[in-house]
Amino acid sequence: MIKIFWSVIVFAVLLPVGLSSQTIFKARRPGAMTGSQFVNHVAAMGSVSRDSVAFKEISEGNMPSWLTRPVTVTDTFADADGILHQVTFYTLPDFIAIGSDDDFFRVPLLPGTAWKIAELYGAILPTCKMSHIIHRFSEVKMEPHPMTPDSTMTTVPVFARHDSIIEAQRIEKGDAIGHLIAGHKKDIVITNRMNTESGRLYIYGWHYPDGKPIQQLTGVHYDGYVDYSHGTRLVLDTAIVDGKKCSIKELLGHPVLYALFSDEDGPFTNMGY
């Protein structure tokens, strides 16, 4: 067995070489609704209508500027044959949020909407392995805060209350906004199970600071379900493997290199909701 030596480098950059924030993320327009205004606007809407508004705002660039500055993660990973590779990938520092730098709201989304946003911005949703890596390398490891498990879990007031708890904890930890942060929500993830169990929502994570996830990979919910604990983390579909620029989607479909980004058995053939 080959022993892997983990050398970690985590630092913030704007984007991979050859890309610019202007080509991936639109600039937030003057007068766009803030996070608080979005919450008030969608408070009485159902999930489909709410996501329609959210997608419009996000597709028009209504996100805090610090969120659109990806963080670079570089480490050494083994492929399915046990061969080590130097790998770099780029993740947004936090879950998708709507609003200004000072007034934003981390919006829980249906998986189909999350995937549409990922495709719009040349990104993918993480695998379980990527979710775990992102947490391990995060500068700010949050304490998960589960809410009362009842019918209010799917309502906007609870979404907003949970986000306010996250913000209070982030500020208490002295975090400078825009650092890589994790542990405050579950990831909507992609998985090989999508091939045989379609129409499901797959979530994973909500890690404690020690790296143990509350939520193991599950598809217990159908793809029309969303609650306060769900977050959309975008990972750019660009990786550098041994100095070569690659598509993560293509790597996940490779018979050997898929293991760089997945701890499941076999390559991916379906990566979208």
Side-chain angles (χ1 to χ4, degrees):
M1 176 181 290
I2 295 176
K3 185 175 181 180
I4 302 174
F5 294 90
W6 300 99
S7 60
V8 181
I9 306 172
V10 184
F11 52 94
V13 297
L14 287 182
L15 281 174
V17 175
L19 299 177
S20 71
S21 58
Q22 287 73 30
T23 61
I24 294 180
F25 297 104
K26 297 180 181 179
R28 185 172 183 268
R29 67 186 186 282
M33 70 171 70
T34 63
S36 299
Q37 290 170 338
F38 173 81
V39 168
N40 291 333
H41 181 66
V42 303
M45 293 183 183
S47 58
V48 174
S49 298
R50 182 175 66 240
D51 268 35
S52 178
V53 176
F55 181 78
K56 179 178 184 296
E57 292 300 314
I58 294 165
S59 67
E60 292 177 354
N62 188 8
M63 295 180 287
S65 63
W66 53 261
L67 180 64
T68 64
R69 301 186 184 105
V71 171
T72 302
V73 175
T74 298
D75 205 348
T76 302
F77 303 122
D79 63 27
D81 290 337
I83 305 301
L84 299 179
H85 300 270
Q86 191 77 5
V87 178
T88 294
F89 68 92
Y90 309 88
T91 176
L92 295 198
D94 204 335
F95 295 107
I96 284 290
I98 289 174
S100 66
D101 284 5
D102 300 321
D103 185 348
F104 56 88
F105 170 65
R106 296 175 183 86
V107 55
L109 298 167
L110 296 168
T113 306
W115 183 251
K116 281 175 60 180
I117 292 168
E119 289 201 304
L120 176 69
Y121 286 117
I124 64 168
L125 300 176
T127 61
C128 294
K129 179 174 180 176
M130 293 167 74
S131 172
H132 188 74
I133 292 167
I134 289 167
H135 181 268
R136 182 159 58 87
F137 289 166
S138 62
E139 296 178 70
V140 185
K141 292 177 172 60
M142 303 284 279
E143 290 281 354
H145 191 98
M147 306 291 279
T148 303
D150 58 24
S151 60
T152 65
M153 293 169 60
T154 63
T155 65
V156 173
V158 170
F159 293 179
R161 173 60 180 154
H162 189 251
D163 201 45
S164 69
I165 291 170
I166 291 171
E167 274 304 282
Q169 184 183 158
R170 182 189 64 78
I171 293 169
E172 182 180 352
K173 284 179 173 288
D175 172 48
I177 198 72
H179 287 168
L180 185 58
I181 181 173
H184 48 315
K185 284 184 180 289
K186 304 170 187 174
D187 279 292
I188 300 175
V189 296
I190 55 174
T191 168
N192 262 334
R193 288 173 56 181
M194 299 167 78
N195 296 330
T196 56
E197 302 171 62
S198 61
R200 312 306 297 177
L201 159 68
Y202 291 96
I203 49 178
Y204 171 82
W206 215 5
H207 297 78
Y208 290 107
D210 65 3
K212 181 180 180 181
I214 290 178
Q215 182 65 70
Q216 296 296 332
L217 176 63
T218 181
V220 67
H221 298 297
Y222 73 106
D223 59 10
Y225 178 82
V226 58
D227 69 39
Y228 74 91
S229 68
H230 301 174
T232 298
R233 175 91 65 175
L234 299 188
V235 177
L236 300 191
D237 185 25
T238 300
I240 309 298
V241 178
D242 299 330
K244 181 180 179 181
K245 186 176 178 180
C246 307
S247 160
I248 296 179
K249 288 181 183 177
E250 291 180 2
L251 292 170
L252 283 171
H254 191 276
V256 176
L257 296 177
Y258 77 89
L260 298 177
F261 292 102
S262 172
D263 53 11
E264 298 184 39
D265 293 330
F268 280 52
T269 57
N270 178 24
M271 289 168 243
Y273 283 94

